[in-house]
Amino acid sequence: MDANQTEFENPFAMDTDCENCEELCGARDRVVHGYGDVGAEFLVVGTGPTAAAERNGVPFTGEGGGERVQSIFGDLGFVRSEPDAAEPDVQNIFFTNLTRCRHPDRGPTDREVGTCEPFLNAEIRMINPQIIVPVGERPLHELAVEYTTRRPDSFDVDAEHATTIRGRGFELVPMKEPAEMTDDEADAFRDHMRENVLSRDYRQTKGRQSR
């Protein structure tokens, strides 16, 4: 972790009282910004906070898929706490979402994703990851369209799950929505990470030397 980092939760001190989306201000319980190691080489991006993540104030925590993500990355050595931890103890990984507020009755609109985009762009710029893990179809589409040269209609998270997509400046390793993953698909993601990402010097993606 960066020597100057004092906490994992919202380490870049992003606006916790954001009022840019009027429909969300009254519906949300809180704004959920990114969480993790600011010096991370791995960035995990979901669509938006689940109900459990909103309660905890931490992306990818609690029931509804969060515990599964924590378990997977714990097995890979990035999470040192139990999968059900509300404030995970992490290393070399950062968890965030396309959107920072949860509407209890629907998913985020295109406008809300666009309004939150500066938060995500700032995290990507400041963290400067080597590997980005888009979790689900929407993050895969948003990130791949932005950072690869492939056609927008060529992305399918079911087909891309547990593979590596070359990007501009880093690589994407897509993951299906954790609540929809089978045990075999979770194992396939772990295996791909171990055999095709962690087993090689992924730091050379951008010529970065180890921190």
Side-chain angles (χ1 to χ4, degrees), residues 26-178:
R28 74 189 183 205
D29 288 335
R30 71 168 96 185
V31 180
V32 182
H33 286 298
Y35 180 99
D37 183 349
V38 299
E41 291 167 318
F42 292 80
L43 175 67
V44 181
V45 182
T47 300
T50 62
E54 184 180 44
R55 285 196 300 273
N56 295 333
V58 178
F60 292 104
T61 58
E63 68 276 9
E67 290 183 10
R68 187 163 214 178
V69 170
Q70 295 297 319
S71 175
I72 288 171
F73 284 105
D75 291 342
L76 294 170
F78 295 98
V79 179
R80 296 168 289 201
S81 49
E82 294 300 313
D84 61 354
E87 296 182 359
D89 181 12
V90 302
Q91 59 182 354
N92 203 20
I93 197 165
F94 194 91
F95 296 101
T96 192
N97 286 300
L98 297 177
T99 57
R100 309 308 165 102
C101 298
R102 174 181 174 270
H103 194 289
D105 301 320
R106 59 166 176 80
T109 65
D110 290 343
R111 179 183 178 279
E112 289 162 358
V113 170
T115 300
C116 269
E117 187 175 8
F119 289 131
L120 179 61
N121 287 346
E123 288 170 338
I124 292 174
R125 183 179 68 254
M126 290 186 284
I127 294 168
N128 192 25
Q130 297 297 302
I131 307 293
I132 297 184
V133 179
V135 179
E137 189 75 43
R138 194 159 193 178
L140 171 60
H141 185 270
E142 296 288 341
L143 291 165
V145 168
E146 182 71 21
Y147 295 109
T148 78
T149 57
R150 283 174 49 182
R151 299 189 324 275
D153 60 359
S154 71
F155 298 107
D156 179 351
V157 74
D158 290 331
E160 310 285 358
H161 173 79
T163 66
T164 297
I165 301 172
R166 293 283 181 180
R168 292 193 289 266
F170 47 73
E171 295 177 338
L172 304 176
V173 182
M175 176 191 286
K176 290 184 65 171
E177 289 285 355

